[in-house]
Amino acid sequence: MEHSGDGSRFVLVAGTTETAQRDGISAAGADSELMVETPAADAELLTYGRPVRTEHVPVSPSGCPTPALVTRAVRELLGFEVTVVDGGLANPTAAPTVTVGAGVGRDIAEQDPVPTAYGAFEAARQFGRRLPADELWLAETIPGGTTTALGVLRALGEEAMVSSSLPANPTEQKQAAVETALEASSLAPGDASGDPKRAVRRMGDPVLATLAGLTAGAVETDTPVTLAGGTQQLAVAALVRHGGYEGRLGLATTQFVADDETADLRASAASLSLDVTVTDPGFAESDHVAMERFVAGEAKEGVGMGGALALADRAGIPMTDVRERFAAVYDDLLDSAVGASP
């Protein structure tokens, strides 16, 4: 792995929310049991290139591989520095992690789904202030995270709609979950406007609390921040904006999210004054099985895939090279899994 040497640090916040256990909410795992393992596995894949303590490479029920493999492929090409933050992991990971005191998120239909939100936000803010980097790229992995992101947006009074890891975005199901959660939290839409910690504690997940804290801490020290991801990062941006920060923030995502007609990413980003970078990896040009499901609308984003692609593009790396390395990472893992079978 070559080192980019440009002072870019990639921070992955990995965590869980019990909201993901709702049927039809997320495709970030082959089933509900394996879905709990996804964030820990994603952290290992990004750090080591393969599962270590976890036993499976996360795939959707239809076989779409985790976007972590794309981000790992770009890391192998660029060598950017990675830090993993435990944003409420349910299962342990072998990847070295920084702890900010985030506990596992409960289902958002509970009255207080993220009781550790305040502490995690503040600890992450202090870490973000001190983390050495010329620029930070902040990523996430949390199944069910678009639903909790929608909850936070509504609590803040924001009208943005979120995307989905599923080809058909279950927007009605997500909205119903959020309406139930608002009632459980005794909130009306907009009641937490200007009070981001309350919004994420009552309607969000621990990853959002951690990412918002990291962002706040970094911008306080004038470190450039790019939110690497999809519509979940809109909720992070909204939390930071409602916390009073009006400076420059970037959002780097994939063409798959930008093309999702159920979630108008560009309009929502504009309402939050985000500088948007959209990168197309050109998966439609490949007939490799690892890329077929992305083209069909699955996954779309995650584990900072859009940010990694933007870094590759900025460095002048052709997307052909990214696709070839992604395919090689996928094939290597598949061969290893076959070889390990009894």
Side-chain angles (χ1 to χ4, degrees):
M1 182 187 297
E2 298 180 359
H3 286 281
S4 58
D6 67 353
S8 299
R9 180 175 293 275
F10 202 91
V11 180
L12 176 66
V13 180
T16 46
T17 169
E18 292 175 359
T19 308
Q21 300 302 311
R22 291 168 173 254
D23 290 339
I25 283 289
S26 175
D31 56 46
S32 60
E33 292 184 6
L34 292 177
M35 198 179 293
V36 176
E37 191 177 275
T38 293
D42 280 342
E44 293 175 1
L45 290 167
L46 182 57
T47 303
Y48 303 116
R50 61 185 59 252
V52 178
R53 190 168 187 173
T54 56
E55 297 181 357
H56 304 280
V57 175
V59 297
S60 73
S62 69
C64 182
T66 170
L69 301 187
V70 180
T71 306
R72 172 65 193 189
V74 175
R75 189 182 180 213
E76 291 184 3
L77 293 169
L78 282 179
F80 52 76
E81 297 290 336
V82 167
T83 299
V84 179
V85 177
D86 182 343
L89 286 168
N91 286 10
T93 180
T97 60
V98 175
T99 300
V100 293
V104 173
R106 302 167 184 166
D107 188 285
I108 59 170
E110 295 193 24
Q111 186 178 31
D112 193 21
V114 196
T116 59
Y118 287 26
F121 176 94
E122 185 56 32
R125 186 179 73 84
Q126 293 298 330
F127 183 57
R129 287 179 59 87
R130 294 177 172 86
L131 192 58
D134 293 335
E135 61 175 356
L136 289 181
W137 295 68
L138 304 182
E140 52 71 30
T141 171
I142 176 168
T146 55
T147 302
T148 46
L150 182 64
V152 164
L153 288 165
R154 293 296 179 267
L156 293 171
E158 300 289 341
E159 295 299 321
M161 177 48 69
V162 292
S163 187
S164 174
S165 58
L166 295 160
N169 191 356
T171 54
E172 292 185 3
Q173 187 172 346
K174 291 178 181 181
Q175 289 172 328
V178 167
E179 289 171 6
T180 300
L182 286 168
E183 184 177 353
S185 298
S186 300
L187 291 174
D191 273 359
S193 178
D195 193 352
K197 292 180 184 178
R198 182 185 181 205
V200 75
R201 175 168 180 165
R202 295 297 188 186
M203 294 293 296
D205 63 60
V207 166
L208 291 174
T210 304
L211 281 169
L214 285 168
T215 305
V219 299
E220 286 170 6
T221 54
D222 296 322
T223 302
V225 174
T226 299
L227 301 172
T231 51
Q232 285 161 261
Q233 297 286 15
L234 292 175
V236 176
L239 288 166
V240 175
R241 295 301 192 207
H242 280 256
Y245 178 71
E246 298 178 353
R248 187 171 184 176
L249 279 179
L251 174 71
T253 193
T254 67
Q255 193 69 51
F256 305 118
V257 175
D259 287 346
D260 185 353
E261 296 180 355
T262 66
D264 192 343
L265 176 95
R266 293 183 188 276
S268 298
S271 72
L272 294 166
S273 300
L274 297 177
D275 298 328
V276 178
T277 301
V278 176
T279 309
D280 183 0
F283 286 173
E285 299 175 28
S286 172
D287 59 1
H288 193 281
V289 64
M291 303 179 210
E292 290 179 350
R293 298 313 304 167
F294 283 92
V295 176
E298 283 195 56
K300 299 184 185 68
E301 177 60 274
V303 201
M305 177 178 164
L309 293 172
L311 280 169
D313 187 58
R314 189 177 72 177
I317 295 176
M319 288 299 123
T320 301
D321 292 0
V322 173
R323 293 194 297 271
E324 289 178 354
R325 186 59 66 98
F326 173 35
V329 169
Y330 176 90
D331 291 341
D332 180 57
L333 285 171
L334 190 64
D335 289 344
S336 298
V338 172
S341 299

